[in-house]
Amino acid sequence: MEQRQRFHQLELNAKLAFIAVSLLFGRAVWAQIRYSISEEQKDGAAVGNIAKDLGIDYRTLKERGFRIVSTSGESMFSVNQNDGVLYVNGKIDREEVCERSTPCLINLKIALENPLEIHYVAVEILDVNDHSPRFPENEKRLEIWESAMPGARYPLQAARDPDSGTNSVQTYKLSHNDHFRLEIKDREEDGKIPILILHKPLDREMTKNIKLLLTALDGGKPPKSGSIEILIDVLDINDNAPVFTKETYTVTLNENAPVGTTILQVNATDLDEGKNGELIYALGNNVNNNLRRLFEVNSITGEIILTDNLDFEVKDKYEIDIQASDKGIVPLATDKSVVIKIVDVNDNAPEIEVTSLSSAIPEDSRPGTTVALISVTDLDSGVNGKISCSLSDDIPFKLMPLPQDNIYSLVTSALLDRETKFQYDITLVAKDAGQPSLSSVKTITVLISDVNDNSPEFSFSPYAFYVMENNVPGKLLFSVSASDKDSNENAIISYHIWRESSEENKYTSFININPENGEIYALKSFDFETVKTFQFHVLATDSGSPSLSSNVTVNVFILDQNDNVPVILYPVSANGSAEGVEEIPRNVNAGHLVTKVRAYDADIGYNGWLLFSLQEVSEHSLFGLDRYTGQIRTLRSFTETDEAQHKLLILVKDNGNVSLSATATVIVKVVEPKEAFAASDVKNAVKDEEENDVTFYLIITLGSVSVLFVISIIVLIVMQCSKSTDYSSKYLQDTNYDGTLCHSIQYRSGDKRYMLVGPRMSVGSTIAPGSNRNTLVIPDRRRRDSGEVRNGLALCRIVFIVSIVLLFFSY
C-alpha cells in the first residue's frame, strides 16, 4: 500500500514538473505513451520504440541527451540512445513491484534537450498466472456441537494468491457432503473469504467426524488451485453462541496515538450458564499478520489495544474481526467487525525536489533567467499538507510560483558578477501550515560561468626601464606583466608591440616581445651616443570571444658606458697624429703658458671627465701640467745649461670604472727671444689672415645667440614671477674653461628628474645609485614663500647671464 502511494505521488510530481517546464520555456513538447508487458520477461527484452512512436529522429537522440530523468522504477528500464528502444533491466516480478495493486503501472519521464522535450511513458506490468492459491495450513480442524442449528456459519481462513485480477483467488469448491455448504464473502482488500454453513443438523451418534476438502481456484487459463483438508469433530452440546451488544463498532484514532492505547472495548453475552456462558475475546481467524502486529485484544475484558505505531499516509482505515467465544466443552464463537478510522496529524515534513537545475549560468544573465524548477510535496492532508517555500536572504535569486500548486521556478533577481562571487549556495526552506509546523531545508549550488567582461590590466602604467648601452642582442632586457580578472581562456593574455610607421616609433623595429610572458628582447645593441631614450606601446589582449585588450607606454632610458676613447683635439699634426711643436723664448719666466692640450670624450659624466698627466718629460723641474685643464706651464726660468728642445708625452684618460686613455706628444723648442718673436710674427700673420673671416662670422653668430638667449631669459623671468613653482634647480657654470668639452642630458621618470652631466656640472646634485656614476638626481625643493622663490629665480638668472657674457668674452 505504501509503495503504491509512493508510485502515485512520483507520477503526480513528474506531471507537475512537466507542466512547469512547459510554462517556463514555452517550447517544451509533451507526449504520453503507454506500453504493456507481461511480468517475468527476460533481461533486455524490448518494451517499445519510444523514438519511433513519438516521431523523433533516432539520429539526434544521443546529441539531445535522450534519457530517463524521473521514474517510479528507474532501475527496471533503460533507453538506447542509438535507436530509442525502451528495454527491460533484469527480471520483473509484478508481485514484488506492485504487490496487490491493480493495475501495476510504472511511470517513466523521458527528456530531450535542444529544444527541451518531456514525454511520459507508462508501462503496465501484466500479471502472469505464475502462483497457485495457497492456504496458511494444510489441515484445519473444527469442533462443532451437535446442537448446532442449520445456518450456523464457520468462517475459514482464506487462501492467498500473490497474482492479481482474474489470476487471484476467484472461487472455492467444497467436496460433496450432506451437512455443509459453502458461502463465499467478498471482503475487498482481504479477498474472498470461504464460510462453512451448516444446512442439515448434525447427529453425533451417527457421525462423529466429518472430513471435507476445500479447494481454492484462481481465474487463470488454465486455472490453478490449492486445497486444505477440513476435519470436523462433532461435539455435544453447548447450543448458545455469544451475542455482541452492538451491531457495529466504529472508532476514530489519531495516527500518533502511543503504543498501548486502549482503542475500544467490545462486549458480548452468552445465555448459557457456567463454562458455556463464560466468554473470551480474540482476533478473528481472518485477521492477517499485519493487523495482528498493530492490534491485540484483551481476552477477558474485550479491550482492543494498539501494539505498534500507525501511519495515516500508509492506511487511513482498518477493519478487524473480533471473536467472542464461550468456554463450553464445545465453545461457541461469534465474530464482529470493528472499523478503526485513522485521523491525520502533522507528522510528515515537506519534501523538496529540484528538477532541471542548470549546471552553471553565465554572469551576464538578465534578471528573470530561470535557474531551476522546484516542487514541494507533503504526505499529510488538509492544513497539514499546505506548504510555503522561501529562500535564504541576501542572494540575487527569488522564487516565482507557478499556476500549479507547490511548484516554483528559481530565477535571478539581479545582475551577477563572477569576479565578485562565482558560486551561490542557495538554501530552500519548505514549511507546512500544521500545528506545530514542520519544515525541510535543501541547499543547491549554482555556479556562475565567466563572460569576457574584463580587459587585461598592466601592473604599472607607464613602465620605465633603464638599459645599459652595448647590450647583447637577443638577451632579455625587461618584461611587462598584465592580469585579467576573468577566468580560463578569457584570462589568457598575449602581448604584442604596437608598431606604428612613424618617426617616434622607429625603434620598435629593434625590439621584440614574447607573446606569452611579456619578456622583451633587443634585436640590436643600443648606443647611448646615438639614442638616449625612446618609448613604445605594448598591447595586452585576452583570448576571449570577442577579445578585450589594453595598452601601456614603455619608456626606455639608455645608460652610458665608458666605451669611447678620449679624442685629442690639440695638438694635431698635419698627418693626423696627436703631435705638435711649440716654440718659446728662453727668457720667459716661471708660470709661462707653453700650450694647452685639448681633448674630447663622447661619453658623459665620469666616463667623459678627462684628466691630464705627464707620462714622459725630459726635465721634470722645467714643465708642469694642470691635470684638469691640460695647460702646460714653465715651472722656472730657463738656464744656459737647459737643452733647446724638450719632448713631453701627455696621457689623457677618462674617469670610467675601466678608464680609457689617449696620448699626445708636445715638442717644446726653446729659442732666443728674437727668433721667437720673428717666428711668432710670421705665425700670427698667417693665423690672422686665416681666422679673420672665421672670427667675424663667429662673433655675429655668438652675438645673435646671446641676444636670443637674453630675450628668452627675460620672458622666463616674467613667467616665473607670475606663477608659483614646485621645483627649482641650480646649475653653476664654471667661468674658467678647463679644456674638457663637457655636455649633459636631462630626463624625468615618475616624480624624479635625472641629469647625465660632465665633470663640472655636479654642483648641487647627488649621484643616484646604479647610475654608473654619471646619472645625477636633481633634488626637488618644495615651495617656499613667493618672495624667496622670486628672489632665487632672479638671482639665478643674473648669475647665468653674467656667466654667458664671461664665456662669450673668453671665446
Side-chain angles (χ1 to χ4, degrees), residues 131-179:
H131 295 86
S132 298
R134 188 172 184 181
F135 288 91
E137 300 172 335
N138 293 327
E139 183 181 283
K140 177 68 175 176
R141 183 171 292 275
L142 296 177
E143 295 179 342
I144 302 176
W145 291 95
E146 64 175 340
S147 59
M149 300 297 293
R153 302 167 66 87
Y154 303 96
L156 303 175
Q157 286 187 324
R160 302 297 179 188
D161 190 337
D163 294 326
S164 65
T166 59
N167 293 327
S168 63
V169 175
Q170 298 296 312
T171 187
Y172 294 88
K173 289 183 178 181
L174 187 64
S175 61
H176 179 73
N177 68 93
D178 296 328
H179 298 280

Side-chain angles (χ1 to χ4, degrees), residues 353-615:
E353 181 184 3
V354 179
T355 59
S356 302
L357 175 63
S358 300
S359 58
I361 59 173
E363 61 177 317
D364 61 349
S365 298
R366 295 182 179 180
T369 300
T370 300
V371 178
L373 293 179
I374 313 295
S375 62
V376 290
T377 56
D378 195 318
L379 297 177
D380 295 320
S381 60
V383 176
N384 297 330
K386 279 194 170 183
I387 309 171
S388 61
C389 198
S390 61
L391 292 180
S392 50
D393 298 330
D394 300 328
I395 57 174
F397 298 91
K398 64 180 179 180
L399 286 175
M400 297 291 292
L402 297 178
Q404 291 72 30
D405 290 338
N406 299 329
I407 296 184
Y408 303 85
S409 62
L410 178 65
V411 300
T412 58
S413 60
L415 295 176
L416 305 174
D417 186 6
R418 190 204 65 85
E419 288 70 40
T420 302
K421 193 168 185 179
F422 70 91
Q423 175 179 313
Y424 289 92
D425 295 321
I426 303 174
T427 301
L428 304 171
V429 180
K431 187 176 182 181
D432 62 29
Q435 292 295 332
S437 176
L438 298 179
S439 61
S440 295
V441 176
K442 188 166 189 176
T443 300
I444 62 175
T445 299
V446 177
L447 299 176
I448 310 302
S449 61
D450 185 45
V451 173
N452 192 25
D453 57 350
N454 289 279
S455 299
E457 295 180 0
F458 283 93
S459 304
F460 301 96
S461 182
Y463 280 92
F465 296 105
Y466 300 89
V467 178
M468 193 69 68
E469 67 171 331
N470 301 319
N471 55 289
V472 178
K475 187 177 180 181
L476 174 67
L477 295 180
F478 44 79
S479 65
V480 297
S481 176
S483 60
D484 197 312
K485 294 179 180 179
D486 294 319
S487 64
N488 300 328
E489 290 189 357
N490 295 331
I492 298 176
I493 300 174
S494 59
Y495 301 88
H496 305 279
I497 294 177
W498 187 15
R499 304 183 189 276
E500 272 188 325
S501 57
S502 62
E503 184 66 23
E504 295 181 356
N505 291 321
K506 64 181 180 179
Y507 296 104
T508 58
S509 60
F510 302 153
I511 57 177
N512 202 359
I513 189 170
N514 188 322
E516 295 181 358
N517 55 26
E519 293 180 347
I520 297 176
Y521 302 85
L523 303 179
K524 61 167 287 184
S525 294
F526 294 109
D527 185 7
F528 176 83
E529 288 71 36
T530 303
V531 56
K532 295 176 174 57
T533 181
F534 65 90
Q535 72 172 205
F536 61 92
H537 301 282
V538 174
L539 193 68
T541 306
D542 60 32
S543 300
S545 180
S547 61
L548 300 178
S549 62
S550 60
N551 64 79
V552 69
T553 300
V554 180
N555 295 304
V556 181
F557 301 96
I558 309 301
L559 300 180
D560 184 41
Q561 277 188 333
N562 190 24
D563 59 345
N564 289 280
V565 177
V567 178
I568 305 299
L569 300 179
Y570 184 83
V572 177
S573 64
N575 61 4
S577 62
E579 184 176 337
V581 177
E582 297 290 340
E583 295 182 351
I584 59 172
R586 183 179 291 276
N587 60 349
V588 296
N589 296 322
H592 176 75
L593 177 63
V594 178
T595 187
K596 186 175 188 178
V597 179
R598 293 180 174 85
Y600 166 77
D601 195 317
D603 296 320
I604 67 169
Y606 286 96
N607 295 330
W609 185 7
L610 303 180
L611 296 178
F612 302 85
S613 63
L614 279 172
Q615 290 295 105

Side-chain angles (χ1 to χ4, degrees), residues 740-755:
T740 302
L741 298 182
C742 305
H743 50 274
S744 64
I745 179 171
Q746 299 185 34
Y747 55 87
R748 178 183 297 275
S749 175
D751 57 351
K752 291 185 178 181
R753 296 167 62 208
Y754 298 88
M755 174 180 286

